[in-house]
């Protein structure tokens, strides 16, 4: 989960989130290099006293500053597309969980078992235990196995919601009348916290998700 003064992404708990972390760092490095280069050139323009009286047009430099950004964009686009396709890939899931968004709580159904469904409400602050997390803990947690392919089916009954667990790299829109699915694998034990990430009304901030 996110901690105080945490500027980066949360630690990954799935192979996909690990790849997303790497892609974030890779893109950030490219952006930093571009910013430094452009900043240096602009600084030199400000303080440079020399001028070139023969420079009317520079064919070579124009080719370079057209081709180079295109190559840099390819270095961002290819890893990005690879990740997009990996995130859409549905392997043979060991377990399926159906998540239904309501105003303002989640309800869950384990499709592989008969009559295993429950609602998950946020624990109010006045009922919270000393070791609980305010606005993040729920009365009924989702329990999922480790090192297994898990499929989540997400929908809603009223308005748009978004089922999001940052440390697993999962964010799926819950749309009324539509069933979205995503696949992930948890590669370490723990408690994983998430929240609804689509503004869904007055109590939007108060419908957390906890995976155990």
């Amino acid at each position: 989960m996110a901690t105080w003064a945490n500027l980066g992404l949360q630690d990954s708990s799935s192979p996909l989130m690990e790849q997303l972390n790497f892609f974030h760092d890779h893109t950030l490095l490219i952006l930093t290099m571009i910013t430094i280069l452009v900043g240096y050139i602009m600084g030199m323009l400000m303080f440079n006293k020399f001028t070139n009286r023969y420079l009317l047009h520079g064919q070579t430099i124009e080719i370079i500053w057209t081709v180079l950004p295109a190559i840099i964009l390819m270095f961002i686009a290819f890893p990005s597309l690879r990740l997009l396709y990996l995130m859409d890939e549905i392997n043979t899931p060991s377990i399926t969980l159906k998540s239904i968004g309501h105003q303002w709580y989640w309800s869950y159904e384990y499709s592989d078992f008969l009559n295993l469904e429950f609602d998950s409400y946020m624990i109010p602050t006045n009922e919270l235990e000393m070791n609980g997390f305010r606005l993040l803990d729920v009365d009924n947690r989702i329990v999922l196995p480790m090192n297994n392919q898990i499929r989540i089916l997400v929908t809603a009954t009223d308005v748009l919601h978004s089922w999001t667990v940052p440390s697993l790299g999962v964010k799926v829109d819950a749309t009324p009348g539509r069933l979205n699915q995503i696949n992930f694998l948890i590669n370490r034990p723990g408690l994983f916290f998430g929240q609804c990430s689509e503004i869904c009304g007055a109590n939007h901030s108060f419908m957390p998700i906890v995976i155990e």
Side-chain angles (χ1 to χ4, degrees), residues 95-99 108-117 151-153 179:
I95 190 167
T96 301
L97 175 71
K98 187 177 180 185
S99 170
Y108 298 101
E109 298 171 10
Y110 284 84
S111 314
D112 305 292
F113 306 99
L114 291 172
N115 301 326
L116 184 46
E117 50 190 75
R151 174 173 56 188
I152 304 277
L153 302 173
L179 204 59

Side-chain angles (χ1 to χ4, degrees), residues 21-34:
N21 265 329
F22 291 151
F23 177 65
H24 170 265
D25 296 345
H26 164 79
T27 312
L28 206 62
L29 188 69
I30 292 172
L31 284 175
T32 307
M33 287 176 355
I34 292 169

Side-chain angles (χ1 to χ4, degrees), residues 48-73:
N48 189 7
K49 297 283 192 292
F50 299 110
T51 183
N52 188 335
R53 59 196 178 126
Y54 299 115
L55 188 66
L56 296 173
H57 58 85
Q59 209 78 47
T60 315
I61 192 71
E62 282 177 14
I63 289 168
I64 290 168
W65 74 40
T66 306
V67 172
L68 201 64
I71 294 168
I72 291 169
L73 281 175

Side-chain angles (χ1 to χ4, degrees), residues 16-196:
L16 202 60
M17 188 56 196
E18 204 171 289
Q19 291 297 314
L20 285 165
N21 265 329
F22 291 151
F23 177 65
H24 170 265
D25 296 345
H26 164 79
T27 312
L28 206 62
L29 188 69
I30 292 172
L31 284 175
T32 307
M33 287 176 355
I34 292 169
T35 309
I36 290 168
L37 179 67
V38 172
Y40 172 74
I41 291 168
M42 286 173 74
M44 290 305 289
L45 280 171
M46 297 289 283
F47 300 110
N48 189 7
K49 297 283 192 292
F50 299 110
T51 183
N52 188 335
R53 59 196 178 126
Y54 299 115
L55 188 66
L56 296 173
H57 58 85
Q59 209 78 47
T60 315
I61 192 71
E62 282 177 14
I63 289 168
I64 290 168
W65 74 40
T66 306
V67 172
L68 201 64
I71 294 168
I72 291 169
L73 281 175
M74 282 164 68
F75 270 96
I76 297 173
F78 287 132
S80 170
L81 284 169
R82 172 180 161 270
L83 265 176
L84 270 174
Y85 280 104
L86 275 174
M87 288 168 80
D88 264 351
E89 195 70 44
I90 299 291
N91 302 309
T92 47
S94 307
I95 190 167
T96 301
L97 175 71
K98 187 177 180 185
S99 170
I100 304 158
H102 307 267
Q103 284 181 309
W104 287 274
Y105 65 96
W106 295 99
S107 60
Y108 298 101
E109 298 171 10
Y110 284 84
S111 314
D112 305 292
F113 306 99
L114 291 172
N115 301 326
L116 184 46
E117 50 190 75
F118 55 88
D119 296 335
S120 180
Y121 288 88
M122 185 193 79
I123 302 174
T125 309
N126 59 340
E127 295 174 19
L128 206 58
E129 291 178 19
M130 282 298 288
N131 60 350
F133 293 106
R134 183 179 163 272
L135 301 185
L136 281 178
D137 256 322
V138 293
D139 54 359
N140 293 313
R141 294 170 173 171
I142 312 161
V143 179
L144 290 173
M146 200 177 105
N147 293 329
N148 277 285
Q149 290 292 340
I150 296 155
R151 174 173 56 188
I152 304 277
L153 302 173
V154 183
T155 186
T157 54
D158 35 47
V159 296
L160 288 176
H161 299 280
S162 185
W163 198 86
T164 307
V165 183
S167 60
L168 297 174
V170 174
K171 184 172 184 176
V172 198
D173 280 351
T175 314
R178 184 187 173 98
L179 204 59
N180 290 326
Q181 74 170 354
I182 199 158
N183 194 66
F184 63 85
L185 180 141
I186 304 171
N187 61 8
R188 65 191 177 103
L191 286 179
F192 308 113
F193 294 89
Q195 286 174 301
C196 175

